[in-house]
Structures are given as structure tokens and as C-alpha cells.
Amino acid sequence: MLNSCVMHHHTGPAPDITVWGGIGYRSRSPLVRIVCTLNSQRYISKVLEPVVPPYLQSLATAIFQQDNARPHVARIVQRFFFIHQIELLPWPVCSPDLSPIENMWSMVAQ
């Protein structure tokens, strides 16, 4: 039982951490770290309300893009976009994820 001979393994569930970020042609939003499972209410309170409107207002023209993840397509989220007059890029159901930010996440991982 020497410490140098013991290998520790985590056998429980992995912590659920989500990182959200936005990019534009010449700008980027702050990264938002969400420590628990992302649901529609958390998406609004942690990402949309504090980050998205100020970021979009700093751009001359903007269309917000997101995929069809459940928190993104919930009625309460769609109502948020309607109330704040945020234009959404149409995202077809079952389409491949062609979002340009996916390439950025691979750079963050490195």
C-alpha cells in the first residue's frame, strides 16, 4: 500500500460541465462555464440573459446560431428570442453540426 504503487481511479459519474461561447467575424463572447446539466432555464439565466444581448448589441448585424439541442429549442427559450427580437439562423432537424465554433472547441482541447 505504498503511495507510489497505488493508482487512483474515479469510479463514480463524471462531473457534468458545459462550456458555452459565441464567435463573430471579428469578435468573441466571454466563455460561460456551466457546472451542472444544461436545461432551458439554466440556458436562459446563465447564457442568454447575461451574455447574448450585450454581445449581439456590440455587433453591427448579427444572426444568432445554435443547434437543435433540447435546451435551445424549448418554448421558453424561443420566447426569450422573440421578446428580445433576436434573429435566429434556421437549423434543420437532424442536420449535421456545421457550426464554425466546433472547430474552435478542438483548439481549446489542445
Side-chain angles (χ1 to χ4, degrees):
M1 292 304 287
L2 293 173
N3 228 10
S4 60
C5 299
V6 175
M7 215 179 208
H8 296 279
H9 291 284
H10 180 72
T11 57
D16 194 2
I17 297 174
T18 301
V19 179
W20 182 94
I23 55 174
Y25 283 112
R26 294 179 182 87
S27 62
R28 59 183 162 75
S29 74
L31 284 178
V32 178
R33 185 171 173 251
I34 302 157
V35 181
C36 47
T37 303
L38 184 67
N39 60 27
S40 57
Q41 191 58 50
R42 269 191 212 100
Y43 184 46
I44 291 171
S45 66
K46 303 284 186 188
V47 175
L48 296 180
E49 287 177 340
V51 178
V52 173
Y55 176 63
L56 293 180
Q57 288 170 0
S58 71
L59 304 172
T61 59
I63 298 175
F64 192 74
Q65 177 182 349
Q66 60 182 6
D67 60 16
N68 288 325
R70 285 184 184 214
H72 300 168
V73 297
R75 283 189 203 135
I76 190 170
V77 172
Q78 296 305 308
R79 190 175 11 200
F80 176 90
F81 290 123
F82 178 77
I83 290 169
H84 290 85
Q85 299 177 348
I86 296 173
E87 185 179 357
L88 292 173
L89 183 71
W91 197 269
V93 176
C94 299
S95 65
D97 195 349
L98 302 175
S99 173
I101 201 163
E102 295 304 323
N103 297 319
M104 202 258 333
W105 291 129
S106 66
M107 290 187 279
V108 169
Q110 292 175 358

